[in-house]
Amino acid sequence: MEDNNDQDNEVFDLLKRIDEYTWEIPREYKPFMRVPGRIYVSRKMLNDVEKQTIDQVANVASLPGIQKYSMAMPDAHLGYGFPIGGVAAFDSEEGVISPGGVGFDINCGVRLIRTDLHVDDVRPVIRELIKKLFEAVPSGLGSKSRLRASDSELDDAFVHGSRWAVEAGYGVEADIEHCEGSGFIEGADPSKVSAKARKRGKPQLGTLGSGNHFLEVQYVDNIYDNDAASVFGLEEGQVTIMVHCGSRGAGHQICTDHLRVLSQSVKNYGISIPDKQLACAPATSTEAQDYFKAMACAANYAWANRQIITHWTREVFEQVFGRDAESLGMDLVYDVAHNVAKLEEHIIDGRKKKVYVHRKGATRAFPPGHSEVPRKYRDIGQPVLLPGSMGSASFVLHGTQEGMDLTFGSACHGSGRAMSRKQAKGTYSGEDVKKKLEKMGIYVEAMSPAVIAEEAPEVYKKSSDVVDVVHELGIARKVARVLPMGVAKG
DNA sequence: ATGTCC
């Protein structure tokens, strides 16, 4: 124990070990906890979980109507109010809805596109491919799209998500089926979106954004489950494309606008919260429902956004390989949200119950047989897409019944930051990181060197460690690993 | 994550 510092000892003292990957924060830890907290992490990785993150898990447990546990995935770290990597479900009648449980980048998410191309077909043209993708898909902070959406198109994107984009010519019908929830959330109401959010969102529909968002050309280097991989259309050596982005300024503004309202609701409804950042309102209240209707608009916008990017990506591949996207086998494998709240039915204490599941930096992972899993994948379970950081592996998993029972059908969302952006910028130079990645065979095209430094592989937790916990715990099971060949980012 | 404070 002498190698543990003070923080570690403190953390160990307050947690109760349930099994190899399950650590409980007992209700006794804080007087306001309505349910215990649960952190799913290996003992080794527990050393990296900050005390502040554990306190956030405990704080979430104070919110009215919370079910079972306030949970944190192995990649959990400090967030706004709720931890990033947090999962919490609230009774749809007695519970609350909280923007902090979704995050600012509403429906930040990931999609995976397969191809029939082999890694050897793509290596020789990777620079050209990435350069063209970088040109075709606007990226960077405040970037504007080459799509000029009208007000009515923006409304349609807000309400219909992926379907709007496909019907506007940006994709094919099968793309819609292969999105979580068919690429939209019901109940979106654009009248709950401020003029300011509309103004920010309108020129950005069809942009990648900045930070850890990326468009990556990858190849499948390892298959863990042949049957599942085959059903998902994946095989070793095959080239895939991953898109990681969200709802841009629109989602950010929607979160900001409604946080202001809900921080007042907390007082109006007499809800006692240990942290102002946990602003919320009773799920049935007008304020909470208005947030949910606006949040759904942002979520749908993000699905439309990833769909438009998919279309432009296909166009670039068509140009470079001189064949149409269909003959290149460029089907959408799946698209998942990892920052969203959803009204779902779960079995709790043996009874079916409707709950608002808040997943913030956590991915839905529904089991085999679930009606929301596309027919094609029904026997396997929902594809769960976990992006790695720039230059590191990404993973494809599938949902399980254990996940449904244990975590409201949720898994982690990726690797999780281990160093702050500021610290990363002070430690690494963008040019050096770019050169290092090139030596590893990964070509990076980015808007600014600072973003490359902020996203250096070293500033993230090892994605394989995080994925292994999820796999061993059984809340999602590994199907395939993909490695980057080239990446375009903000 | 984010026109990194209208």
Side-chain angles (χ1 to χ4, degrees), chain A residues 105 160 171 219 232 247 256 336 351 355 377 403 430 451 458 472 490:
Chain A
D105 191 6
H160 303 293
Y219 70 98
F232 292 172
S247 52
T256 303
V336 291
R351 285 211 310 264
V355 287
Y377 306 144
V451 166
E458 294 85 354
E472 293 298 329

Side-chain angles (χ1 to χ4, degrees), chain A residues 166-345:
Chain A
V166 167
E167 286 177 1
Y170 298 93
V172 295
E173 190 68 23
D175 294 344
I176 300 168
E177 294 161 35
H178 288 168
C179 290
E180 172 178 329
S182 299
F184 87 113
I185 290 179
E186 237 169 294
D189 180 355
S191 77
K192 307 302 177 192
V193 177
S194 70
K196 199 170 170 183
R198 292 184 69 96
K199 193 184 170 197
R200 287 180 70 177
K202 208 166 125 180
Q204 293 185 326
L205 195 50
T207 62
L208 196 60
S210 185
N212 66 356
H213 291 166
F214 63 70
L215 200 177
E216 193 168 87
V217 177
Q218 325 163 311
Y219 70 98
V220 179
D221 93 307
N222 207 350
I223 299 280
Y224 306 97
D225 180 336
N226 283 312
D227 293 343
S230 157
V231 172
F232 292 172
L234 300 173
E235 62 179 28
E236 210 172 305
Q238 164 192 27
V239 169
T240 57
I241 302 134
M242 190 171 270
V243 181
H244 180 199
C245 65
S247 52
R248 311 287 286 108
H252 194 274
Q253 191 62 47
I254 285 168
C255 181
T256 303
D257 292 339
H258 287 264
L259 266 174
R260 189 175 299 132
V261 176
L262 292 188
S263 53
Q264 192 55 48
S265 305
V266 170
K267 293 170 195 154
N268 296 347
Y269 291 99
I271 303 169
S272 151
I273 49 172
D275 175 359
K276 279 183 181 172
Q277 295 184 351
L278 295 174
C280 62
T284 53
S285 68
T286 306
E287 295 93 320
Q289 285 301 315
D290 284 356
Y291 163 69
F292 193 82
K293 288 167 186 171
M295 181 217 71
C297 288
N300 296 345
Y301 175 104
W303 271 305
N305 192 30
R306 292 196 286 275
Q307 186 60 45
I308 293 160
I309 291 170
T310 300
H311 181 69
W312 289 336
T313 299
R314 284 175 175 149
E315 284 184 345
V316 166
F317 272 71
E318 287 176 336
Q319 204 188 332
V320 171
F321 293 97
R323 287 159 61 192
D324 65 47
E326 199 183 339
S327 87
L328 287 165
M330 294 180 74
D331 302 326
L332 178 61
V333 175
Y334 204 64
D335 178 309
V336 291
H338 57 219
N339 271 8
V340 88
K342 286 185 146 182
L343 183 58
E344 293 172 2
E345 193 171 80

Side-chain angles (χ1 to χ4, degrees), chain A residues 140-141 208-214 244 390 417 421 451-452 454-455 460 489-490:
Chain A
L141 197 59
L208 196 60
S210 185
N212 66 356
H213 291 166
F214 63 70
H244 180 199
M390 180 178 66
R417 200 165 257 287
R421 291 181 187 284
V451 166
I452 302 183
E454 287 176 9
E455 298 300 316
Y460 280 86
K489 56 191 295 112

Side-chain angles (χ1 to χ4, degrees), chain A residues 232 382-384 386 395-399 467 470-471 476-479:
Chain A
F232 292 172
Q382 180 209 306
V384 178
L386 310 177
F395 291 84
V396 180
L397 291 84
H398 70 77
V467 169
V470 163
H471 176 87
R477 300 283 291 178
K478 290 198 278 189
V479 175

